[in-house]
Amino acid sequence: MEKFPITDRTEITRLAKRGVYDKDTVYAILDEAMFCTIAYVRDGMPFQIPTGFCRIGDKLYVHGSVGSFYMRELAEKKLPVCITVTFMDGLVLARSAFHHSVNYRSVVVFSEAKKVEDQDELYMALEVFTNKLQPGRWDDIRKPNAGEWKATMVLSFDIQEASAKVRTGGPKDDEEDYSLDIWAGVVPLTTTRLQPVPDDLLKAGIAIPGYLK
């Protein structure tokens, strides 16, 4: 099992047993997540940008307008960034207030941005991003025209320094509290896709695509 190297920035020190460094786990969490947060420091002030993303191999990709100030700044100044994603999988209700917790999966990546200049890589990143949001969508839509490609910027981030932290299971109470007459357990949390709602301006006679059923 291939693992990321443990560095001063990625080592899990608080509840170290929850730290995970194997690439399969880190990539699985990244691939399931729709959005990430990119954090960096500009002129001594912290900034966090929530954005959609996708992964291809050992790189993360984000896209936006060529007019995006933060994207231009990250690409031009090679600012170090911290990219995070988090899933809340359950509320862990213990018998004592102190031992309440959550089940979660999170990933932290340290990297820096590179502007994607290669047209094939640019095209692939937008295709993967679109199909990540909705599998099957790319083959069903009008592709970007020359003007839209020109207005789009894509940044890549090498995934070389990363770690995950994961909690699963039920509450961990103090031994003397297990005899208390208090309910304890886990309330699962999920993100669910609901029935698609058609656009008010949808052309008559267009059936819902099979990939949305």
Side-chain angles (χ1 to χ4, degrees):
M1 182 180 297
E2 190 174 3
K3 294 187 176 182
F4 289 103
I6 300 175
T7 70
D8 290 342
R9 296 193 295 184
T10 62
E11 183 177 10
I12 306 298
T13 56
R14 170 64 179 155
L15 297 174
K17 64 181 180 181
R18 297 182 186 174
V20 182
Y21 304 94
D22 69 88
K23 287 191 174 183
D24 288 345
T25 298
V26 170
Y27 286 171
I29 295 172
L30 290 173
D31 291 346
E32 185 178 346
M34 294 289 192
F35 299 94
C36 69
T37 298
I38 302 176
Y40 68 103
V41 175
R42 179 169 68 89
D43 298 331
M45 294 294 294
F47 284 82
Q48 289 193 110
I49 308 297
T51 184
F53 77 101
C54 68
R55 179 186 69 87
I56 302 174
D58 293 329
K59 293 183 179 181
L60 296 180
Y61 291 86
V62 302
H63 80 283
S65 168
V66 293
S68 169
F69 178 79
Y70 95 90
M71 292 186 69
R72 295 201 317 271
E73 187 171 52
L74 290 182
E76 293 169 2
K77 296 184 178 180
K78 304 297 183 183
L79 298 175
V81 301
C82 178
I83 303 173
T84 61
V85 304
T86 302
F87 286 99
M88 304 297 285
D89 294 323
L91 306 176
V92 181
L93 308 183
R95 294 161 182 81
S96 68
F98 183 79
H99 288 299
H100 277 60
S101 187
V102 294
N103 285 337
Y104 62 89
R105 291 166 291 146
S106 63
V107 167
V108 175
V109 177
F110 295 95
S111 191
E112 67 177 36
K114 297 177 183 177
K115 184 179 178 181
V116 176
E117 303 284 3
D118 181 80
Q119 292 300 307
D120 290 337
E121 185 179 4
L122 185 75
Y123 193 92
M124 180 175 60
L126 292 182
E127 179 178 353
V128 172
F129 177 84
T130 302
N131 281 332
K132 180 180 181 180
L133 291 181
Q134 178 54 62
R137 189 64 175 168
W138 186 257
D139 290 337
D140 196 31
I141 56 176
R142 178 182 68 78
K143 305 307 183 289
N145 58 38
E148 291 167 339
W149 282 118
K150 188 176 181 181
T152 301
M153 180 187 296
V154 173
L155 301 180
S156 70
F157 300 85
D158 289 334
I159 312 173
Q160 297 181 346
E161 195 174 1
S163 63
K165 194 173 183 181
V166 178
R167 188 202 191 278
T168 60
K172 307 296 183 184
D173 274 302
D174 295 334
E175 192 63 36
E176 60 270 21
D177 288 340
Y178 283 102
S179 62
L180 295 175
D181 296 328
I182 300 172
W183 187 92
V186 176
V187 179
L189 301 175
T190 62
T191 299
T192 304
R193 292 178 185 262
L194 302 178
Q195 182 67 26
V197 179
D199 181 14
D200 291 340
L201 300 179
L202 185 67
K203 186 177 178 180
I206 298 181
I208 186 170
Y211 55 78
L212 289 177
K213 294 180 180 179

